[in-house]
Amino acid sequence: MRTITNLSSSSGLDICCTDELIEGTGYGQAVKSTAARQGTLRELNLGLVLREVLDAAATHAPSPSRADVAAATGLTRATVSTLVDRLVAGGLLAECEPVATQRAGRPAVPLVPAGGTLVALGAEVNVDYLGVRALDLAGHVLAERVVEDDHRDSDPARVLRALAAVADDVLAETVGDPVAATAGEPVAPGGPRRVVGTALALPGLVARDAGTLLLAPNLGWREVDVAGVLADASEVFSAHPPTLANEADLAARAEARAQRREGAASFVYVSGEIGIGAALVLEGRVFGGRHGWAGELGHTLVADGRPLEQVAGQDAMVRAAGLEREAGVASLVAALAAGAPAAHEAVRAAGEALGAALANVVNTVDVSDVVLGGTYARLAEHLVEPVLAALRTHVLAAPWAPPTVGVARVGDIPALTGAALSVLDLVIADPSAWLDAPGAAAALPRLAP
């Protein structure tokens, strides 16, 4: 629950912000605690108002009016109106047509995130595909492209150059001229689109500040200067160096947003692809550990001393079902549908091993809800029962906090969405940077409710 803090100002300006924003732990995670100045607090209030509207959209709540935002934040209506006017003029919020209310006075004007003005690019390199997705503040997918390929033991430079070409293609489709767009010029038909930044999901350990992939065993990559290679090969990555993160963490970030309707959830997200990645979400926020390296579940050891992904990963299940590895998970799904005994036994055994490994996690972190993503989501009909049975058997607190196993809601290739959302956090953290930047949008026309 957010606490609203009222802060005095020598000028009499109404200034208010949440504990989350003061501490830098809210939706805009890039905000840091600093000495309070009047200008700083005013910018925090901009973020507070923007976040209130974005939260309503993310949870599918009714679009709030200025009066609703004032009531929710504790700011006066006059202050909210001033801030909203700036956000609308800058292309971060949009107004819908007025709607009648039960209250006396003028009709309310619902506020929604502006669509198509700011663009964040989420990218991913995984073992059997690479992809790029462009997202706006409203959560709309403006363009995306996914290219399937086998990247096992691949040449990093070749794969990253291919990703760079895809990213430039997606940006061109989204905003027109990539060079003009990255400079903040209004080049898109119907209004300007500006690039906020980029983020890249990778299946391994990354040094986030250095732009380096330290280790991705299933790619066969070690200590790769990812940001440097991409900057040399791509206009968009040169102008906006990507933030690197683990793909399971970013997929969990997207899943946490998808679950916002029920409140800030806590769960263990486990993504089954060629490898197995996991992420811990606490009260709607991904916990990455000290270095961001938490969640390497696939490299934990099972009873016979093998890494879990060699028992319960996609390739392991396909092989145990007697199928060709190149056919992938689609062949396994087809075999299950046809009732093939070997396929059912392969998935059951994988589910038991996965459940036992997850029981160790649940016993350690005291989070009893598990969410299956990636390949595991496609196989959930056959995986949930053995995973849940193992959790009930091995989780010490199961009689008092029964474990649950659910299926991810966020959709296909969630790390792309999570990567783009992590970039959009920069806007919520500092909206004024985008209101005052060259190429800031003029006020948008009102939208139909």
Side-chain angles (χ1 to χ4, degrees):
M1 179 177 179
R2 285 182 292 164
T3 301
I4 303 297
T5 304
N6 290 294
L7 300 163
S8 61
S9 164
S10 59
S11 67
L13 179 69
D14 182 29
I15 297 174
C16 168
C17 54
T18 67
D19 287 350
E20 290 168 332
L21 288 177
I22 291 173
E23 296 172 5
T25 59
Y27 195 108
Q29 295 181 29
V31 176
K32 293 182 179 180
S33 178
T34 59
R37 301 189 306 270
Q38 180 173 309
T40 301
L41 294 171
R42 188 181 293 111
E43 305 314 320
L44 287 173
N45 284 340
L46 270 173
L48 179 60
V49 171
L50 178 60
R51 180 186 176 194
E52 195 67 34
V53 177
L54 293 180
D55 278 355
T59 58
H60 305 283
S63 299
S65 66
R66 285 170 169 80
D68 296 327
V69 172
T73 61
L75 296 165
T76 66
R77 292 194 184 189
T79 298
V80 168
S81 185
T82 298
L83 297 172
V84 167
D85 286 345
R86 286 191 66 192
L87 293 167
V88 171
L92 275 63
L93 294 182
E95 298 175 300
C96 296
E97 290 294 333
V99 295
T101 69
Q102 296 180 347
R103 297 190 297 262
R106 292 180 297 178
V109 177
L111 301 169
V112 295
T117 56
L118 298 182
V119 180
L121 259 62
E124 181 179 4
V125 173
N126 216 312
V127 178
D128 52 359
Y129 65 87
L130 54 82
V132 178
R133 179 173 291 159
L135 216 64
D136 67 11
L137 268 177
H140 301 143
V141 176
L142 303 177
E144 72 171 49
R145 186 176 172 194
V146 177
V147 179
E148 295 183 356
D149 199 357
D150 187 349
H151 299 140
R152 297 173 179 84
D153 298 317
S154 56
D155 173 32
R158 179 188 67 80
V159 175
L160 293 172
R161 284 194 297 267
L163 178 69
V166 172
D168 284 348
D169 287 347
V170 168
L171 185 64
E173 180 182 342
T174 305
V175 301
D177 176 15
V179 176
T182 56
E185 295 297 326
V187 297
R193 285 179 175 172
R194 293 170 291 148
V195 178
V196 177
T198 66
L200 174 60
L202 293 165
L205 306 180
V206 301
R208 293 172 294 188
D209 296 337
T212 303
L213 173 72
L214 299 176
L215 181 65
N218 289 313
L219 295 177
W221 297 6
R222 186 184 184 92
E223 296 184 352
V224 178
D225 179 13
V226 172
V229 175
L230 289 175
D232 291 340
S234 162
E235 292 173 333
V236 64
F237 287 130
S238 177
H240 299 277
T243 300
L244 309 186
N246 177 267
E247 61 87 18
D249 287 348
L250 290 174
R253 164 74 175 79
E255 180 63 22
R257 183 177 186 271
Q259 294 196 24
R260 290 277 297 282
R261 186 182 298 188
E262 290 81 21
S266 296
F267 56 88
V268 178
Y269 178 89
V270 57
S271 175
E273 305 293 347
I274 307 304
I276 301 173
L280 176 61
V281 176
L282 297 172
E283 300 297 328
R285 308 169 62 77
V286 176
F287 175 77
R290 180 180 177 187
H291 301 96
W293 302 338
E296 292 295 335
L297 186 65
H299 298 283
T300 59
L301 302 181
V302 295
D304 60 1
R306 288 182 295 167
L308 177 65
E309 63 187 32
Q310 293 183 13
V311 178
Q314 177 179 307
D315 282 357
M317 288 187 288
V318 169
R319 182 174 58 252
L323 304 170
E324 294 294 327
R325 186 191 74 179
E326 291 73 16
V329 70
S331 64
L332 183 58
V333 172
L336 290 167
H344 281 273
E345 175 57 24
V347 173
R348 184 201 61 77
E352 289 182 352
L354 178 63
L358 286 167
N360 291 332
V361 175
V362 173
N363 281 326
T364 302
V365 302
D366 184 26
V367 173
S368 55
D369 297 329
V370 171
V371 175
L372 302 179
T375 295
Y376 292 150
R378 296 183 63 180
L379 300 173
E381 178 184 354
H382 308 279
L383 268 179
V384 168
E385 183 176 341
V387 170
L388 187 56
L391 289 170
R392 288 170 173 167
T393 299
H394 301 299
V395 171
L396 188 65
W400 302 276
T404 69
V405 179
V407 181
R409 308 176 191 179
V410 73
D412 293 336
I413 317 184
L416 294 179
T417 296
L421 290 173
S422 71
V423 172
L424 292 174
D425 277 344
L426 300 174
V427 180
I428 292 89
D430 187 12
S432 61
W434 301 95
L435 300 178
D436 303 330
L444 300 174
R446 282 183 171 172
L447 308 174

